Amino acid sequence: MSKGDNLSEELQILKDKAKQITGKAREEYLEHVSDLKEKLKQVTGETSEKAKQIIDQTGTYIKENPQKATLIGLGVGVGIGVIIGMLIGRRK
């Protein structure tokens, strides 16, 4: 065998190894992405469930205490109105 043939074989071996390494890296990357997607789904699901519970608890509170809920809503509305009024007044 000549040096050219040996060099050609070595290049082919190196190319094959590079393909294997690239394939393994791609597999690991896709696995990590899949894990992250699954974790994100879990977190989103938990957050969604907590939000539903809070909404349900708020609805229950409003049904059980309509006067308090009305006064709280009125107070929050007036507070937001005052803040907006102050911000608009500053612009002029």
Side-chain angles (χ1 to χ4, degrees):
M1 267 193 174
S2 68
K3 287 185 177 181
D5 290 338
N6 284 340
L7 185 58
S8 178
E9 285 181 25
E10 286 183 37
L11 277 172
Q12 187 59 41
I13 290 170
L14 289 174
K15 283 182 184 179
D16 292 342
K17 285 183 181 180
K19 285 181 183 178
Q20 288 176 348
I21 291 170
T22 303
K24 288 179 183 178
R26 185 170 191 263
E27 287 175 14
E28 287 184 27
Y29 168 77
L30 292 175
E31 186 177 314
H32 287 297
V33 168
S34 178
D35 290 345
L36 287 173
K37 284 182 181 180
E38 190 62 35
K39 288 178 183 177
L40 182 60
K41 284 181 185 178
Q42 289 175 349
V43 169
T44 303
E46 290 171 5
T47 304
S48 176
E49 187 62 35
K50 287 179 183 179
K52 286 178 186 177
Q53 289 175 352
I54 290 170
I55 290 170
D56 289 343
Q57 289 172 351
T58 303
T60 302
Y61 180 82
I62 290 171
K63 286 178 186 176
E64 292 175 357
N65 305 298
Q67 292 87 9
K68 285 183 183 180
T70 302
L71 291 175
I72 291 171
L74 180 63
V76 170
V78 168
I80 291 173
V82 168
I83 291 171
I84 291 173
M86 290 171 53
L87 291 174
I88 290 173
R90 283 187 172 179
R91 287 187 179 180
K92 291 182 179 181

PDB file of all heavy atoms in Angstrom, residues 83-92:
ATOM      1  N   ILE A  83     -54.575  56.273  40.975  1.00  0.00           N
ATOM      2  CA  ILE A  83     -53.213  56.138  40.424  1.00  0.00           C
ATOM      3  C   ILE A  83     -53.175  56.585  38.969  1.00  0.00           C
ATOM      4  O   ILE A  83     -52.281  57.340  38.558  1.00  0.00           O
ATOM      5  CB  ILE A  83     -52.710  54.687  40.579  1.00  0.00           C
ATOM      6  CG1 ILE A  83     -52.474  54.376  42.047  1.00  0.00           C
ATOM      7  CG2 ILE A  83     -51.436  54.456  39.761  1.00  0.00           C
ATOM      8  CD1 ILE A  83     -52.184  52.914  42.338  1.00  0.00           C
ATOM      9  N   ILE A  84     -54.131  56.162  38.176  1.00  0.00           N
ATOM     10  CA  ILE A  84     -54.179  56.574  36.765  1.00  0.00           C
ATOM     11  C   ILE A  84     -54.357  58.085  36.662  1.00  0.00           C
ATOM     12  O   ILE A  84     -53.715  58.747  35.850  1.00  0.00           O
ATOM     13  CB  ILE A  84     -55.292  55.813  36.003  1.00  0.00           C
ATOM     14  CG1 ILE A  84     -54.912  54.341  35.870  1.00  0.00           C
ATOM     15  CG2 ILE A  84     -55.545  56.434  34.638  1.00  0.00           C
ATOM     16  CD1 ILE A  84     -55.998  53.457  35.294  1.00  0.00           C
ATOM     17  N   GLY A  85     -55.237  58.645  37.511  1.00  0.00           N
ATOM     18  CA  GLY A  85     -55.436  60.089  37.500  1.00  0.00           C
ATOM     19  C   GLY A  85     -54.158  60.856  37.837  1.00  0.00           C
ATOM     20  O   GLY A  85     -53.849  61.871  37.210  1.00  0.00           O
ATOM     21  N   MET A  86     -53.398  60.334  38.798  1.00  0.00           N
ATOM     22  CA  MET A  86     -52.140  60.984  39.155  1.00  0.00           C
ATOM     23  C   MET A  86     -51.127  60.891  38.007  1.00  0.00           C
ATOM     24  O   MET A  86     -50.413  61.860  37.712  1.00  0.00           O
ATOM     25  CB  MET A  86     -51.560  60.358  40.421  1.00  0.00           C
ATOM     26  CG  MET A  86     -52.346  60.675  41.688  1.00  0.00           C
ATOM     27  SD  MET A  86     -51.819  59.748  43.143  1.00  0.00           S
ATOM     28  CE  MET A  86     -50.082  60.055  43.189  1.00  0.00           C
ATOM     29  N   LEU A  87     -51.076  59.750  37.351  1.00  0.00           N
ATOM     30  CA  LEU A  87     -50.152  59.587  36.240  1.00  0.00           C
ATOM     31  C   LEU A  87     -50.519  60.497  35.057  1.00  0.00           C
ATOM     32  O   LEU A  87     -49.647  61.075  34.416  1.00  0.00           O
ATOM     33  CB  LEU A  87     -50.115  58.127  35.779  1.00  0.00           C
ATOM     34  CG  LEU A  87     -49.485  57.139  36.751  1.00  0.00           C
ATOM     35  CD1 LEU A  87     -49.641  55.706  36.238  1.00  0.00           C
ATOM     36  CD2 LEU A  87     -48.008  57.454  36.963  1.00  0.00           C
ATOM     37  N   ILE A  88     -51.795  60.622  34.777  1.00  0.00           N
ATOM     38  CA  ILE A  88     -52.238  61.508  33.699  1.00  0.00           C
ATOM     39  C   ILE A  88     -51.962  62.952  34.070  1.00  0.00           C
ATOM     40  O   ILE A  88     -51.540  63.760  33.241  1.00  0.00           O
ATOM     41  CB  ILE A  88     -53.733  61.285  33.389  1.00  0.00           C
ATOM     42  CG1 ILE A  88     -53.922  59.914  32.729  1.00  0.00           C
ATOM     43  CG2 ILE A  88     -54.284  62.382  32.491  1.00  0.00           C
ATOM     44  CD1 ILE A  88     -55.364  59.522  32.530  1.00  0.00           C
ATOM     45  N   GLY A  89     -52.177  63.313  35.340  1.00  0.00           N
ATOM     46  CA  GLY A  89     -51.923  64.685  35.796  1.00  0.00           C
ATOM     47  C   GLY A  89     -50.462  65.066  35.688  1.00  0.00           C
ATOM     48  O   GLY A  89     -50.130  66.233  35.440  1.00  0.00           O
ATOM     49  N   ARG A  90     -49.569  64.147  35.851  1.00  0.00           N
ATOM     50  CA  ARG A  90     -48.126  64.417  35.747  1.00  0.00           C
ATOM     51  C   ARG A  90     -47.706  64.749  34.326  1.00  0.00           C
ATOM     52  O   ARG A  90     -46.771  65.484  34.099  1.00  0.00           O
ATOM     53  CB  ARG A  90     -47.311  63.219  36.225  1.00  0.00           C
ATOM     54  CG  ARG A  90     -47.262  63.086  37.698  1.00  0.00           C
ATOM     55  CD  ARG A  90     -46.302  61.994  38.049  1.00  0.00           C
ATOM     56  NE  ARG A  90     -46.069  61.945  39.474  1.00  0.00           N
ATOM     57  CZ  ARG A  90     -45.298  61.092  40.070  1.00  0.00           C
ATOM     58  NH1 ARG A  90     -44.659  60.179  39.354  1.00  0.00           N
ATOM     59  NH2 ARG A  90     -45.128  61.119  41.364  1.00  0.00           N
ATOM     60  N   ARG A  91     -48.375  64.182  33.363  1.00  0.00           N
ATOM     61  CA  ARG A  91     -48.010  64.388  31.963  1.00  0.00           C
ATOM     62  C   ARG A  91     -48.299  65.798  31.501  1.00  0.00           C
ATOM     63  O   ARG A  91     -47.658  66.304  30.599  1.00  0.00           O
ATOM     64  CB  ARG A  91     -48.749  63.405  31.062  1.00  0.00           C
ATOM     65  CG  ARG A  91     -48.223  61.995  31.181  1.00  0.00           C
ATOM     66  CD  ARG A  91     -48.853  61.125  30.164  1.00  0.00           C
ATOM     67  NE  ARG A  91     -48.331  59.764  30.249  1.00  0.00           N
ATOM     68  CZ  ARG A  91     -48.701  58.782  29.483  1.00  0.00           C
ATOM     69  NH1 ARG A  91     -49.613  58.987  28.564  1.00  0.00           N
ATOM     70  NH2 ARG A  91     -48.184  57.595  29.617  1.00  0.00           N
ATOM     71  N   LYS A  92     -49.275  66.440  32.097  1.00  0.00           N
ATOM     72  CA  LYS A  92     -49.688  67.768  31.609  1.00  0.00           C
ATOM     73  C   LYS A  92     -48.816  68.843  32.111  1.00  0.00           C
ATOM     74  O   LYS A  92     -48.015  69.053  32.781  1.00  0.00           O
ATOM     75  CB  LYS A  92     -51.127  68.054  32.024  1.00  0.00           C
ATOM     76  CG  LYS A  92     -52.080  67.166  31.281  1.00  0.00           C
ATOM     77  CD  LYS A  92     -53.507  67.483  31.654  1.00  0.00           C
ATOM     78  CE  LYS A  92     -54.454  66.591  30.874  1.00  0.00           C
ATOM     79  NZ  LYS A  92     -55.812  66.839  31.146  1.00  0.00           N
TER      80      LYS A  92
END
